[in-house]
């Protein structure tokens, strides 16, 4: 007799599609979409302690993206430049702890991508509203350019510009959608990249005040 013991099981959830953008950059589509409501609640709790703010730069202008941090270290910009700090300059308190689910999702993605384990010292939270983008830049404020970085995206889709080692190199436009996790390291660590000004788009299937007509991106890094 051939009893079908599993006929009452729910259909398995399709594993997130894995896209290798290059040898050392992996995009996991919608990998965090089921956990998104819980992650957004974690972010909301962080932001109750260290609110989003527009940071000034050396030139005196404000960065368009609103930012905050959690974890041991936070990325800051002010008249003295860019750096990592253990204290939030706004609250003069340590940054809130890195929430457990954000850490778990990022660490899993890094492992699945086959990189060295993530040392998630710093988690930068970026919030983009309509019309807000981030110009082409390199991430050079960390000590070790071989350590992998992970980014989690939620809310409205954004066009990510993936350039080369040189600012003038041609860029590839890649859509980053709700629940996407991007991991990169190695040779791709110093690529130029940016985010096109956010446009109205298909909203994700969940609602949360943080992603109402907006996009949230968390970037976890080893800073020291
Ligand atoms: C590929 N953030 O915070 S995350 C940043 O969506 C930043 O908020 C963007 O760039 C955002 O510095 C992009 C994805 C990302 C970040 C850094 C990279 C991809 C990268 C560095 C090299 C190559
Ligand atoms: Fe960056």
């Amino acid at each position: 007799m051939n009893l079908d013991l599993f006929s009452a099981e729910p259909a398995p959830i399709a594993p997130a599609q894995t896209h290798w953008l290059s040898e050392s950059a992996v995009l996991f589509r919608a990998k965090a979409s089921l956990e998104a409501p819980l992650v957004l609640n974690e972010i909301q709790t962080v932001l109750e302690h260290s609110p989003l703010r527009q940071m000034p730069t050396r030139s005196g202008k404000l960065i368009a993206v609103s930012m905050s941090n959690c974890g041991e270290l936070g990325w800051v910009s002010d008249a003295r430049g860019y750096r990592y700090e253990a204290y939030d300059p706004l609250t003069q308190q340590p940054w809130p702890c890195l929430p457990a689910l954000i850490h778990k999702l990022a660490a899993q993605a890094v492992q699945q991508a086959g990189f060295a384990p993530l040392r998630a010292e710093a988690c930068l939270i970026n919030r983009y509203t309509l019309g807000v983008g981030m110009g082409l830049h390199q991430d050079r404020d960390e000590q070790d350019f071989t350590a992998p970085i992970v980014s989690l995206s939620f809310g409205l889709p954004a066009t990510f510009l993936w350039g080369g080692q040189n600012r003038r190199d041609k860029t590839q436009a890649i859509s980053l959608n709700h629940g996407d996790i991007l991991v990169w390291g190695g040779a791709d660590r110093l690529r130029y990249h940016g985010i096109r000004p956010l446009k109205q788009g298909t909203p994700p299937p969940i609602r949360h005040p943080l992603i109402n007509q907006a996009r949230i991106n968390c970037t976890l890094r080893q800073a020291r």
Side-chain angles (χ1 to χ4, degrees), residues 107-151:
Q108 269 177 359
V110 166
Q111 192 185 28
Q112 283 182 35
F115 291 117
L118 175 67
R119 241 175 69 193
E121 289 162 348
C123 175
L124 173 64
I125 302 165
N126 291 330
R127 186 167 185 269
Y128 298 78
T129 49
L130 297 179
V132 169
M134 189 182 278
L136 218 55
H137 66 280
Q138 288 177 300
D139 292 8
R140 314 199 60 117
D141 305 318
E142 301 76 27
Q143 305 254 332
D144 181 354
F145 296 148
T146 68
I149 306 187
V150 189
S151 104

Side-chain angles (χ1 to χ4, degrees), residues 67 124 126 128 134 137 139 149 151 153 160 162 176 182 184 188-195 215 217 219 221:
M67 299 175 166
L124 173 64
N126 291 330
Y128 298 78
M134 189 182 278
H137 66 280
D139 292 8
I149 306 187
S151 104
S153 295
F160 172 65
W162 169 251
L176 288 182
L182 181 56
W184 70 99
D188 296 308
R189 181 61 179 72
L190 288 175
R191 275 185 193 251
Y192 276 87
H193 59 281
I195 295 285
R215 167 176 185 263
N217 179 269
T219 315
R221 305 147 197 260

